[in-house]
Amino acid sequence: SDDNAETVRSRLEAYHRQTAPLLPYYGANGLLRVVDGMADMDEVAAQIEAVLAGPQATQPGAGPGQA
């Protein structure tokens, strides 16, 4: 179950071990986009839509599967 302390602890450990180390790399390369997940749900959705519609989405070669 996802609602017990051990599951939360395990997921936080995985985040700190696997995901957090990527943030400085993407930030330094101008690729990190930040969304305030604690905002109102409509605001979060608007922020995500703005990120997805940003300038990188219109650059040649920036489509799905393109590096």
Side-chain angles (χ1 to χ4, degrees), residues 35-65:
V35 172
D36 179 6
M38 297 302 293
D40 176 72
M41 191 178 345
D42 290 334
E43 176 61 25
V44 173
Q47 289 180 31
I48 292 170
E49 289 172 4
V51 166
L52 295 175
Q56 72 279 6
T58 60
Q59 294 175 355

